């Protein structure tokens, strides 16, 4: 017997799906690498980014806001929770 997919079972789909993100930054000859293996955010969820100065909090927020382009990303999809339309941010970056 096959299991129903999350979509058919009514489970909410995340509005942000991020996989295998890498962002490399250099400053003053020192390189910093942010790695995010997986990040999902569902409508109505709250997230707190905490950590020491320089750990990548602002870099991740800039990428999520589409202000910064990642150095590499497996997938980055943004969905409208109401209409279920989605945008493949990675495809947009690849096209430019």
């Amino acid at each position: 017997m096959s299991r129903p997919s999350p979509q058919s079972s009514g489970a909410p789909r995340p509005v942000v799906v991020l996989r295998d993100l890498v962002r490399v930054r250099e400053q003053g000859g020192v390189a910093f690498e942010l790695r995010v293996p997986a990040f999902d955010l569902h409508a109505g969820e709250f997230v707190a980014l905490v950590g020491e100065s320089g750990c990548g909090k602002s870099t991740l927020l800039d990428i999520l806001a589409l202000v910064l382009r990642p150095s590499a990303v497996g997938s980055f999809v943004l969905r409208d929770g109401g209409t279920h339309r989605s945008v493949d941010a990675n495809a947009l970056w690849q096209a430019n």
Side-chain angles (χ1 to χ4, degrees), residues 10-48:
R13 293 178 3 170
V15 294
V16 176
V17 177
L18 186 61
R19 296 288 182 270
D20 302 319
L21 170 89
V22 177
R23 173 63 187 196
V24 178
R25 282 188 150 177
E26 286 191 49
Q27 186 173 7
V30 176
F32 166 79
E33 187 174 275
L34 171 66
R35 288 188 171 273
V36 179
F39 177 80
D40 289 354
L41 182 65
H42 291 81
E45 285 185 324
F46 292 91
V47 175

Side-chain angles (χ1 to χ4, degrees), residues 33-95:
E33 187 174 275
L34 171 66
R35 288 188 171 273
V36 179
F39 177 80
D40 289 354
L41 182 65
H42 291 81
E45 285 185 324
F46 292 91
V47 175
L49 296 176
V50 295
E52 296 180 16
S53 177
C55 72
K57 300 178 300 287
S58 295
T59 299
L60 178 58
L61 288 174
D62 285 346
I63 291 170
L64 290 172
L66 304 176
V67 173
L68 281 180
R69 184 179 185 160
S71 303
V73 66
S75 64
F76 183 9
V77 177
L78 302 170
R79 290 191 184 99
D80 181 329
T83 64
H84 302 292
R85 285 186 267 172
S86 63
V87 173
D88 183 345
N90 190 33
L92 292 175
W93 283 317
Q94 296 299 321

